[in-house]
Amino acid sequence: MKVRLNLATKALETHRRFLAGAGLTAVVAGLLFLGLGWHVHSARKVDAELRARTGKMRQEMAKLEAQRKELERYFGQKDIANLHDRAAFINTILDARSFNWTLMFMDLEHILPEVCASSASSLSRLQDTSK
């Protein structure tokens, strides 16, 4: 027959609760570490795609800016600027001399009797006989 006696000066302590708590804490910390690591990985992947798109947009903006400067230089030339001014002047003349066909036909509806019909109409210049 065996008798278990503790002859030490301190009583036998079991560390089972401490080891179980530490193990559980380590497992939770490991899972948390893996979750945060996955989050960082996915955020960096999205950030890389965003940087690629931003770089592509910057290249396109630089190309468009160079094109704009080239067009400004072209239209800044004296002969092209004079051509632009002349076109603006001609457009003002055309706007002043434009003929409102809709208004003319609406007036004809009120002026002509109901039995009359207009089959054709055209504009022609009258020669100035006062010269």
Side-chain angles (χ1 to χ4, degrees), residues 98-113:
S98 65
F99 189 76
N100 192 347
W101 287 93
T102 306
L103 183 60
M104 183 198 73
F105 285 116
M106 287 175 63
D107 289 342
L108 279 177
E109 282 181 5
H110 296 296
I111 294 171
L112 292 177

Side-chain angles (χ1 to χ4, degrees), residues 8-27:
T9 56
K10 290 185 176 179
L12 179 66
E13 292 182 20
T14 165
H15 298 292
R16 187 175 298 163
R17 256 188 354 201
F18 171 76
L19 292 175
L24 182 63
T25 304
V27 167

Side-chain angles (χ1 to χ4, degrees), residues 44-102:
R44 286 182 55 85
K45 186 177 179 182
V46 168
D47 189 43
E49 293 172 4
L50 181 64
R51 279 189 305 234
R53 273 194 353 230
T54 302
K56 189 185 292 184
M57 284 185 182
R58 284 187 181 161
Q59 287 177 351
E60 186 177 340
M61 283 177 49
K63 184 179 81 173
L64 290 174
E65 185 68 25
Q67 185 180 9
R68 184 182 66 81
K69 286 181 181 178
E70 177 66 26
L71 287 172
E72 282 179 353
R73 187 192 60 75
Y74 174 74
F75 285 115
Q77 295 174 356
K78 186 161 179 63
D79 55 342
I80 302 297
N82 290 340
L83 184 65
H84 181 268
D85 293 341
R86 183 172 175 175
F89 174 70
I90 291 173
N91 282 336
T92 57
I93 291 173
L94 290 175
D95 287 341
R97 291 187 177 183
S98 65
F99 189 76
N100 192 347
W101 287 93
T102 306

Side-chain angles (χ1 to χ4, degrees), residues 24-38:
L24 182 63
T25 304
V27 167
V28 169
L31 290 175
L32 187 63
F33 177 76
L34 288 175
L36 289 175
W38 179 257

